[in-house]
Amino acid sequence: MTNLIEIRDVRHSYQTQSGPLPVLDGLNVTVPTGGFCAVVGPSGCGKSTLTRLIAGLMKPDQGEVWLHGERVTGPRNTVGMAFQNPVLLEWRTILQNVVLPLEIVPTKLSRKQQEDRARYLLALVGLSGFEDKRPSELSGGMRQRASLCRALVHQPEVLILDEPFGALDAFTREDLWQTMHRVKEKEPFTGVLITHDLRESIFLADQVIVLSGRPARTQFVLDVPDTGPRDLDHLYTAQAAEMLHVLRHQIEIAQGRAAA
Amino acid sequence: MRLKAILTPIVAVLVFLSLWEALVWIMGWPNYKMASPSDLVPAYIRYWNLFLVMGWQTLWRTVAGLLLAIVVGTALGMVMGFSRTMRDALYPLLVGFNAIPKATVVPIIALMFVGYHDVNTVLIAFMISFFPIAVSISIGLSTLEPEYRDILRSLGASQSTIFWKIALPKTLPEFFGALKVAVTLAFIGTNLMEIVSPHGRGLGALFDSGKTNADYPLMFAVLIALAFLGIVLYYVVVALEKVFAGWAERTPT
Ligand SMILES: Nc1ncnc2c1ncn2[C@@H]1O[C@H](COP(=O)(O)OP(=O)(O)OP(=O)(O)O)[C@@H](O)[C@H]1O
Ligand SMILES: [Mg+2]
């Protein structure tokens, strides 16, 4: 199997008033094609920085980021992103919001086909009938679904999710987890998910990476065994409890609250 | 419902005019102290063509000054919104400039462009009104959440695409808010200049001639005409806002 994403020994610092702030220090991540990698770590350790490096929005001071066998030197339109803040454009309808990336990325689709694709994705995440609504008319969970459709509309190879469900209530979040599985089945992508929720990480991902506190390095990698289609009951098995326990302990180490 | 929305302000104006009339009548003020609405009608009838010509003068120069303010204000706002350095450099200058009472600038500009009445009037309307526009655009652009930028930038969109697709539309509500202030200010600027300039034209000059001839009803008639023009301009902006930034309006629930 080829690795779609390869991050090799990346180091990065931000320039601040009080001198350089090292954020990433010796980060290694590999995600195979079609894989789904969750990244957890203490707050402020550099997770969002990692997503910006993968998206090519920034260049690392040292080390290399490779996507699909090519070195990342700038933004590329084979990436889709969604954030905790759904950042929908209020002056556009939901449908127009989802179509937005197709206005940037070169595409052979006609306007009609673009809209059909957007409609199809909206239906997939359960937003049929809301195409012509404005973002302000939707609930937080629905906006996040629309934001997900926008990230997928141009069929990106890599889907980068930076705490997309972080601001949602627990039930809406679990709903969206299941939606994610449904979407991944129909619209295959290679995923990187930043999250603070350990249950989310083992429910969605097949690999969980724990970052150390700032400056972040890869501290621990957990492989989530492939158990076929997952439903929420999987979170209440002994196996899940064991994984959560291991991750919890690793987070405490990363926070400096437990010895390695 | 629509009818009510139109009738309410008309009724309010009529009530205001009757109260004004009644007040002057009850107090027994002579019209050099306070003209009453019924004194104004003869003034409008006598000078109607002057009102049309002068009103047009005032209107086009205000609008010209305003358009200039929009162009320059938007350009300045963009420069300050996109570059921190430029913001740090220009902001104090602009604030200082804005702090100068424009009444003191009027005679200077009047002298500077003496004989070019149109130029100095448009110029003062511009100078007095570009500031809120520049500030609103720069704040709108500089407070744009980075995620909005990243959504397009991660797809390889250029700066100008980001500006047209996201930054500009997103600042439109603030822009129109500022434009409403700017309209009123530009109007003040035009009138100041028209009043101060020797051989001026426009409603301000008409006001001045009413003053020299002790034609008090004329002076009041000009004030009302100015108010009318001000209302028209303001609502033109409101209408434009509805068209271009109507999405920002939340229906109250
Ligand atoms: N543009 C920047 N300039 C300077 N410092 C920055 C910049 N962006 C982030 N930082 C700092 O770098 C560190 C890592 O930031 P980052 O956003 O990657 O963390 P994070 O792991 O995503 O945090 P969170 O869990 O809160 O989302 C933080 O301490 C932050 O203050
Ligand atoms: Mg973050």
Side-chain angles (χ1 to χ4, degrees):
Chain A
M1 205 189 303
T2 53
N3 285 329
L4 189 73
I5 307 175
E6 273 205 64
I7 295 177
R8 294 190 202 137
D9 204 30
V10 157
R11 282 153 218 276
H12 193 78
S13 304
Y14 284 112
Q15 300 308 321
T16 63
Q17 276 104 336
S18 49
L21 174 78
V23 174
L24 301 177
D25 183 22
L27 192 66
N28 287 287
V29 179
T30 46
V31 188
T33 307
F36 201 150
C37 167
V39 179
V40 298
S43 189
C45 75
K47 301 182 294 297
S48 296
T49 306
L50 170 65
T51 65
R52 296 171 62 78
L53 291 174
I54 299 174
L57 293 170
M58 293 184 335
K59 283 196 198 79
D61 294 346
Q62 279 178 48
E64 293 166 11
V65 180
W66 293 73
L67 278 191
H68 218 127
E70 281 176 49
R71 179 115 183 238
V72 173
T73 51
R76 48 173 60 211
N77 53 33
T78 55
V79 170
M81 291 185 99
F83 310 97
Q84 176 167 353
N85 180 353
V87 289
L88 298 173
L89 313 182
E90 295 130 79
W91 55 93
R92 288 175 171 239
T93 63
I94 294 302
L95 188 74
Q96 290 169 333
N97 263 287
V98 175
V99 167
L100 178 72
L102 295 176
E103 295 169 14
I104 312 284
V105 174
T107 169
K108 289 193 208 65
L109 301 182
S110 68
R111 186 73 201 177
K112 169 86 173 54
Q113 289 169 317
Q114 296 181 6
E115 288 184 0
D116 284 347
R117 164 132 182 97
R119 273 177 219 284
Y120 158 77
L121 285 174
L122 285 169
L124 192 57
V125 300
L127 279 185
S128 298
F130 291 90
E131 291 88 352
D132 297 323
K133 295 260 189 271
R134 301 273 163 170
S136 57
E137 297 174 275
L138 268 58
S139 70
M142 292 158 104
R143 279 182 227 175
Q144 203 50 264
R145 286 171 201 269
S147 161
L148 195 62
C149 292
R150 179 180 57 191
L152 287 167
V153 75
H154 55 298
Q155 296 187 294
E157 288 177 346
V158 179
L159 181 66
I160 301 174
L161 303 168
D162 192 349
E163 298 187 46
F165 315 127
L168 304 176
D169 68 85
F171 297 127
T172 310
R173 198 182 305 173
E174 290 179 355
D175 254 7
L176 268 150
W177 293 349
Q178 284 164 310
T179 304
M180 277 308 296
H181 274 305
R182 204 164 60 236
V183 167
K184 188 152 179 3
E185 210 172 284
K186 294 274 194 309
E187 293 279 319
F189 56 80
T190 305
V192 176
L193 168 75
I194 310 294
T195 177
H196 277 132
D197 186 334
L198 298 180
R199 291 167 71 238
E200 178 172 303
S201 73
I202 62 164
F203 185 69
L204 289 179
D206 39 43
Q207 175 192 23
V208 182
I209 294 180
V210 181
L211 299 186
S212 67
R214 200 179 62 227
R217 56 182 173 75
T218 311
Q219 175 182 305
F220 182 78
V221 180
L222 174 87
D223 287 310
V224 182
D226 182 9
T227 49
R230 292 181 213 178
D231 60 46
L232 287 169
D233 287 339
H234 274 77
L235 288 173
Y236 300 94
T237 59
Q239 194 187 24
E242 175 61 25
M243 286 191 285
L244 290 173
H245 186 77
V246 170
L247 288 173
R248 171 89 265 148
H249 180 64
Q250 287 296 331
I251 292 285
E252 278 172 7
I253 295 173
Q255 289 171 327
R257 292 201 273 137
Chain B
M1 233 11 241
R2 295 276 316 147
L3 195 67
K4 201 177 155 206
I6 299 169
L7 280 181
T8 316
I10 294 181
V11 170
V13 169
L14 289 180
V15 168
F16 171 76
L17 289 178
S18 354
L19 284 179
W20 178 3
E21 184 78 45
L23 183 73
V24 175
W25 192 73
I26 290 167
M27 303 299 282
W29 283 329
N31 70 15
Y32 56 82
K33 188 159 187 185
M34 178 92 158
S36 65
S38 57
D39 297 327
L40 305 186
V41 178
Y44 283 126
I45 292 175
R46 196 137 65 102
Y47 300 114
W48 66 271
N49 60 335
L50 270 183
F51 270 99
L52 283 185
V53 173
M54 298 303 197
W56 168 245
Q57 290 270 345
T58 301
L59 184 64
W60 84 253
R61 291 191 292 213
T62 306
V63 171
L66 207 55
L67 289 178
L68 198 59
I70 291 174
V71 172
V72 175
T74 305
L76 274 173
M78 278 172 70
V79 168
M80 292 192 298
F82 280 129
S83 154
R84 247 225 96 104
T85 323
M86 291 307 277
R87 184 156 69 250
D88 292 345
L90 289 177
Y91 221 87
L93 278 175
L94 284 184
V95 171
F97 181 80
N98 190 51
I100 301 172
K102 292 301 170 296
T104 61
V105 182
V106 170
I108 297 176
I109 298 290
L111 276 181
M112 221 182 256
F113 296 94
V114 71
Y116 298 95
H117 188 47
D118 287 339
V119 175
N120 58 28
T121 312
V122 170
L123 197 63
I124 206 79
F126 153 70
M127 285 168 65
I128 208 169
S129 64
F130 79 95
F131 184 75
I133 296 175
V135 170
S136 75
I137 295 270
S138 86
I139 290 180
L141 293 183
S142 61
T143 54
L144 185 69
E145 292 96 323
E147 286 103 329
Y148 279 100
R149 244 170 255 258
D150 288 350
I151 284 288
L152 289 196
R153 221 156 68 78
S154 66
L155 297 170
S158 65
Q159 278 294 340
S160 78
T161 308
I162 295 175
F163 178 75
W164 288 111
K165 290 234 184 253
I166 294 192
L168 181 74
K170 206 161 164 48
T171 49
L172 277 182
E174 279 110 28
F175 169 77
F176 277 106
L179 196 57
K180 285 184 204 161
V181 178
V183 163
T184 320
L185 289 177
F187 211 51
I188 294 173
T190 318
N191 279 285
L192 277 176
M193 185 57 83
E194 289 170 352
I195 293 173
V196 168
S197 288
H199 314 298
R201 289 184 306 272
L203 287 177
L206 193 58
F207 178 84
D208 203 44
S209 77
K211 203 171 95 191
T212 21
N213 299 322
D215 190 342
Y216 297 105
L218 176 59
M219 291 168 71
F220 276 91
V222 170
L223 291 192
I224 299 298
L226 283 173
F228 175 73
L229 272 191
I231 291 172
V232 168
L233 274 181
Y234 184 86
Y235 279 101
V236 166
V237 175
V238 170
L240 288 175
E241 180 181 29
K242 268 229 160 56
V243 173
F244 291 106
W247 52 267
E249 210 172 282
R250 293 269 196 286
T251 37
T253 43

